[in-house]
Amino acid sequence: MSKVSVTGSKSVLEPVIEAVHDLHLLHLSDYDGSWEGFDNGNPIEGADDTSEKLVTVRSLESILDISEDDAGPGRLDDDWEARLEEVRTKVNRLDDERSEVREELRQVQERIDRVAPFAELGIDLDLLSGYSSVDVLVGEGNHAEVEAALAGSEDIRAFETFTGGNVVAIVAAPAEDVDDGATIIDDALVGLEFSRYPVPETDESPQAYVDDLEHRKRQLEADIEEIDSQLGRIKLDEAGFLLRLEEELTIEAQKADAPLQFATTNRAFVAEGWIPTDEYDALVARLNDAVGDSVEVEELERASYDRHGAHSHTEEVEDEASDDDDGDATEYESPPPKQPATDGGYVTMDDEPPTRQSNPKAANPFEELVQVISRPKYSELDPTLILWLTFPFFFGFMISDVGYGALYVLIGYYLYKNLDGMLGSLGAVAIWCGTFTILFGFFFGEFFGFHFLGDMIPGDTGGWYKGLDPYSSDFALAWLVVSVLFGVFHLNIGYVMDFVDNLSHGLWDAITHSVSWILLLNGIWIWVFTHQASADKPDFLFTVFDGQPFSLGFNGFGDGSIWMLGATIPVPGGGEFLFTLPLAMILLGAILLGIGDALELVEILIPFAHVLSYTRMTAVLLAKGGMAFVVNLLTFGAWETQEGARMFDASWEAAIPYENSEMMFEGLFHMGDGVSAIVFILLGIIVLIFGHILVLLLGITSAGLQGIRLEYVEFFGKFYEGGGKNYEPFGYDRNHSED
């Protein structure tokens, strides 16, 4: 990216803005007011009127519920302002009418709700009010409790209740010593759950009153439908016009507000921004075509920044402005002199270059996941590509089921096709994750928890197993080791990316800050797999690739390995200690780390701890597989053969279907006889469907969250800071309007 400056007279401000906007390449920098004699510019005349009309258009689009898909025929003629005013008048009038009708409809519905309980009583409403010698109350509550409370009140001489449904009407006469106006019924019902209903003021019977209100409700609903129909017609006629007008007004507003980012005086302006270096000549050519020699365009720097925000390289660009002999070559004031910076560059509108991410099309959805943390700085390596290559791999390994993977793909495809923005990108991510889940599902031979590659025979290489039973427990230990190897590989990539970033400081800085961690990471984990101190290490480290369960011929780095070579060091008190090559790597890494930044020595065990964090992948693998197994076990039952295989049976027969097998659980599909069997089968279907839905959802949350945690915390933490600005060139991509 190149930092450029455009300086000119205010007389050419508008054509310059027009040319830069049409080019749509320059990312404008905001002037911060730091230059003496220069202030932020003012919007171009007419900006307020443009903004007001833009607000009007967007309000009309909101009322008419216009979306991008509604764009139809519609032109912007010279009399568009009159047309806009005509549309605004009609739409606002109809919208006001609709609001009034909706408010009346709401009030009618409230009156219906208030009188509906009285209709259940079947008592004329005029009989429930207007008394001076008795107290009348209507409400909803438990009839028996109400009568008990009334009978126990000393303030009530006599009472009568009438019921209809859950509604109770109470008429009570006060005792002789009770003052007039006392609320004897309310007092008696204190402490009971009783909802009081106000009596509507009408001479009609409750049912007649409700019928009248229902009729009025239907009239109002018809009025709303008619208004909606009129608005719908306007939408069909004017959607294209409004979308085109909004686009034109948005562009005009952008141009009008652009001077707010410039440094200006009474006669001149200075605009700065970032542009792709190979587009600089296009900017100069466009401005020369627009205003000729009335502006001065200068490429200030071609900057590269290191990860810490410091200039690592500034290619000075010679000032190509010509000098005029009489000193009056321009009519505008020159910008203030540029201040020298320590690296030989200049400080102008001091800001970092914006970031324009460029990844393969398939990886673009993963940019959204990166931006959840922060957009990469211009100086940083973009981790999107690595995220694309590793996150679906991690997710697929943790779920590893063909059935669940297919559902993830379908869900992702729906989101990708029907939603935009972040949710649409997540849909594409789900498609990738589902694809890897299917791939690993074939390796594990699982379909919704069923193992379909045949009976499990210990040592059989015909398929992988998750290690959920004693006969395949070696596989569970193997996946722990495999997840550790994933971690070592993944973190090595992170440290290598950190090394590339730190090269901008110099080779020695990259060695002390990055190679040191690479030596520590690999030294620690190579030593873990050596036979040195093997008695204190888990045995499975040396057996999982030596026949239990994988026959790869690796049983650790033994005496014949280069990693066991080293010097014998005497130990005080007698004895010897073999200082092997991995230990030398650890020591050298610690020394380099201390030279680079001694404070980082307190984190020297991070390479060990962060790699262990990858074992969470195996934990999710076993947890998800175990849950799917439980769902199938409850539904179909299971039998254990002498060879050690678990068998599920989806048939409707209750007999044990396998020879030489022992029933573990008969399953809901095989329980009961007659009617009870049907009940158990229906219950089994419910357990099967909702159980696998639960596993599916927990797979998203567990595998998704754990996988993204490994990326964000363990991986990104090695090299990534983020905090970059998005490259947003001044301009607009037209979708509805024409030049």
Side-chain angles (χ1 to χ4, degrees):
M1 300 290 285
S2 290
K3 185 71 173 290
V4 300
S5 172
V6 180
T7 307
S9 169
K10 274 193 172 180
S11 63
V12 296
L13 177 62
E14 292 190 32
V16 167
I17 291 175
E18 187 80 30
V20 173
H21 188 278
D22 291 344
L23 190 62
H24 200 185
L25 288 172
L26 182 62
H27 178 99
L28 291 174
S29 301
D30 291 323
Y31 172 55
D32 60 5
S34 60
W35 294 351
E36 184 176 354
F38 282 75
D39 297 315
N40 293 92
N42 297 316
I44 295 174
E45 185 178 355
D48 291 341
D49 184 58
T50 299
S51 297
E52 183 179 342
K53 287 184 171 59
L54 183 58
V55 170
T56 298
V57 171
R58 288 174 175 169
S59 174
L60 293 175
E61 290 176 343
S62 176
I63 294 172
L64 296 174
D65 193 24
I66 293 175
S67 66
E68 294 290 322
D69 297 333
D70 296 319
R75 299 179 57 188
L76 293 181
D77 299 323
D78 294 338
D79 62 343
W80 63 265
E81 290 185 86
R83 182 176 178 183
L84 175 62
E85 179 60 24
E86 180 183 353
V87 174
R88 185 194 68 80
T89 301
K90 290 191 296 186
V91 171
N92 285 348
R93 176 180 56 81
L94 289 171
D95 189 50
D96 290 342
E97 290 180 7
R98 182 170 59 179
S99 297
E100 293 173 0
V101 174
R102 284 176 173 171
E103 176 59 24
E104 184 179 352
L105 179 61
R106 183 189 65 79
Q107 295 176 0
V108 168
Q109 185 60 55
E110 286 183 355
R111 291 159 65 188
I112 291 174
D113 293 339
R114 288 199 303 266
V115 80
F118 297 94
E120 294 186 32
L121 287 172
I123 302 175
D124 289 346
L125 297 176
D126 59 344
L127 299 178
L128 297 174
S129 60
Y131 299 101
S132 59
S133 58
V134 295
D135 193 10
V136 180
L137 184 65
V138 180
E140 184 175 340
N142 185 282
H143 183 230
E145 293 180 355
V146 168
E147 286 203 330
L150 295 172
S153 175
E154 297 179 355
D155 294 336
I156 297 177
R157 173 168 51 87
F159 69 88
E160 187 70 38
T161 60
F162 307 89
T163 62
N166 294 325
V167 181
V168 181
I170 306 168
V171 180
E176 294 180 356
D177 57 344
V178 175
D179 297 335
D180 294 339
T183 55
I184 57 175
I185 299 179
D186 283 332
D187 294 341
L189 299 182
V190 170
L192 295 184
E193 292 185 5
F194 190 84
S195 301
R196 179 172 180 169
Y197 298 138
V199 180
E201 297 181 1
T202 178
D203 294 335
E204 294 183 287
S205 68
Q207 190 58 52
Y209 188 59
V210 170
D211 291 342
D212 290 343
L213 292 175
E214 290 286 355
H215 179 70
R216 180 56 181 161
K217 177 182 176 181
R218 290 191 292 271
Q219 289 178 327
L220 294 172
E221 290 173 343
D223 291 344
I224 292 176
E225 289 181 3
E226 183 178 351
I227 294 172
D228 286 340
S229 177
Q230 295 181 53
L231 290 172
R233 179 67 185 184
I234 295 175
K235 175 180 177 179
L236 290 174
D237 295 339
E238 308 295 348
F241 164 71
L242 291 174
L243 287 170
R244 284 164 174 76
L245 181 56
E246 181 197 10
E247 196 164 84
E248 287 290 348
L249 292 173
T250 299
I251 292 171
E252 291 304 315
Q254 283 183 340
K255 296 176 182 177
D257 291 337
L260 294 171
Q261 297 177 269
F262 296 176
T264 65
T265 65
N266 292 332
R267 294 185 294 167
F269 72 89
V270 180
E272 290 188 3
W274 295 93
I275 191 170
T277 299
D278 56 2
E279 299 289 353
Y280 172 71
D281 292 337
L283 173 66
V284 174
R286 178 63 65 92
L287 290 174
N288 285 337
D289 290 342
V291 296
D293 295 333
S294 296
V295 295
E296 177 184 338
V297 185
E298 182 181 3
E299 185 179 8
L300 302 177
E301 60 177 324
R302 296 172 189 169
S304 176
Y305 289 76
D306 64 34
R307 63 180 301 186
H308 304 291
H311 290 264
S312 62
H313 172 69
T314 300
E315 181 178 335
E316 296 184 6
V317 182
E318 295 183 1
D319 187 359
E320 299 177 358
S322 61
D323 295 329
D324 207 320
D325 293 339
D326 59 7
D328 294 327
T330 59
E331 299 179 356
Y332 52 84
E333 300 172 9
S334 298
K338 293 173 282 189
Q339 302 298 318
T342 56
D343 62 356
Y346 294 100
V347 175
T348 53
M349 297 181 189
D350 191 19
D351 60 344
E352 291 189 7
T355 301
R356 183 171 63 171
Q357 291 176 268
S358 179
N359 291 290
K361 184 177 180 181
N364 285 343
F366 289 83
E367 291 181 0
E368 298 280 356
L369 292 182
V370 172
Q371 292 167 19
V372 168
I373 295 297
S374 183
R375 189 179 299 275
K377 293 180 181 178
Y378 176 79
S379 58
E380 289 184 310
L381 293 174
D382 186 353
T384 299
L385 189 62
I386 303 299
L387 189 67
W388 169 49
L389 295 174
T390 57
F391 177 69
F393 181 90
F394 291 161
F395 186 96
F397 174 77
M398 285 186 273
I399 303 301
S400 60
D401 188 291
V402 174
Y404 294 129
L407 291 180
Y408 290 139
V409 170
L410 292 175
I411 294 171
Y413 182 79
Y414 173 82
L415 294 175
Y416 178 71
K417 284 295 184 180
N418 294 280
L419 299 175
D420 297 323
M422 181 67 173
L423 291 177
S425 296
L426 287 178
V429 172
I431 293 174
W432 279 103
C433 291
T435 301
F436 274 84
T437 301
I438 293 173
L439 178 64
F440 277 104
F442 276 110
F443 281 117
F444 281 99
E446 288 208 6
F447 184 85
F448 289 115
F450 287 100
H451 202 285
F452 57 80
L453 289 182
D455 295 346
M456 195 284 291
I457 301 175
D460 181 23
T461 58
W464 296 350
Y465 299 88
K466 295 181 178 178
L468 297 175
D469 56 56
Y471 303 100
S472 62
S473 59
D474 287 343
F475 278 94
L477 298 175
W479 303 133
L480 283 174
V481 177
V482 168
S483 62
V484 164
L485 297 179
F486 284 165
V488 173
F489 175 74
H490 199 215
L491 295 190
N492 266 299
I493 295 175
Y495 284 128
V496 169
M497 295 178 74
D498 184 63
F499 174 79
V500 174
D501 277 343
N502 282 323
L503 277 175
S504 58
H505 291 286
L507 179 60
W508 178 247
D509 190 83
I511 290 174
T512 57
H513 286 88
S514 302
V515 174
S516 56
W517 289 111
I518 295 175
L519 289 170
L520 285 169
L521 171 67
N522 292 285
I524 289 172
W525 284 101
I526 290 173
W527 182 85
V528 166
F529 285 95
T530 65
H531 284 188
Q532 189 173 21
S534 59
D536 297 320
K537 299 174 183 178
D539 292 338
F540 67 84
L541 290 175
F542 310 107
T543 60
V544 294
F545 297 129
D546 193 31
Q548 295 181 347
F550 298 110
S551 299
L552 301 179
F554 176 77
N555 61 357
F557 299 114
D559 293 337
S561 170
I562 186 175
W563 303 111
M564 287 295 290
L565 298 178
T568 301
I569 301 174
V571 177
E576 295 178 339
F577 174 74
L578 180 61
F579 190 75
T580 58
L581 183 57
L583 295 177
M585 294 171 61
I586 296 172
L587 179 61
L588 178 59
I591 293 173
L592 292 174
L593 188 64
I595 294 173
D597 187 350
L599 291 177
E600 290 190 343
L601 286 173
V602 300
E603 299 179 338
I604 197 170
L605 292 179
I606 276 183
F608 180 75
H610 280 189
V611 168
L612 285 181
S613 184
Y614 283 76
T615 58
R616 68 185 66 239
M617 295 168 57
T618 299
V620 175
L621 173 79
L622 298 176
K624 185 253 114 195
M627 292 177 65
F629 166 71
V630 168
V631 172
N632 293 332
L633 175 66
L634 291 175
T635 306
F636 301 113
W639 290 260
E640 187 173 19
T641 67
Q642 289 183 347
E643 291 79 9
R646 290 192 309 270
M647 299 292 185
F648 294 110
D649 181 41
S651 68
W652 309 112
E653 299 177 1
I656 297 178
Y658 304 105
E659 295 182 1
N660 301 320
S661 62
E662 179 181 354
M663 180 181 291
M664 298 172 61
F665 181 74
E666 58 184 331
L668 293 170
F669 276 6
H670 305 116
M671 290 184 177
D673 296 310
V675 176
S676 64
I678 296 176
V679 173
F680 281 118
I681 289 172
L682 294 176
L683 181 60
I685 293 174
I686 294 173
V687 170
L688 183 67
I689 294 175
F690 285 97
H692 282 299
I693 290 176
L694 178 62
V695 177
L696 182 80
L697 296 177
L698 289 178
I700 296 175
T701 56
S702 58
L705 291 178
Q706 298 300 340
I708 208 67
R709 182 200 183 282
L710 291 175
E711 301 284 0
Y712 287 166
V713 179
E714 276 73 19
F715 180 61
F716 280 21
K718 303 299 176 287
F719 67 96
Y720 188 71
E721 289 184 0
K725 297 183 298 183
N726 186 32
Y727 173 64
E728 297 177 347
F730 179 60
Y732 194 92
D733 290 324
R734 293 176 181 266
N735 297 313
H736 307 294
S737 58
E738 299 176 356
D739 291 338

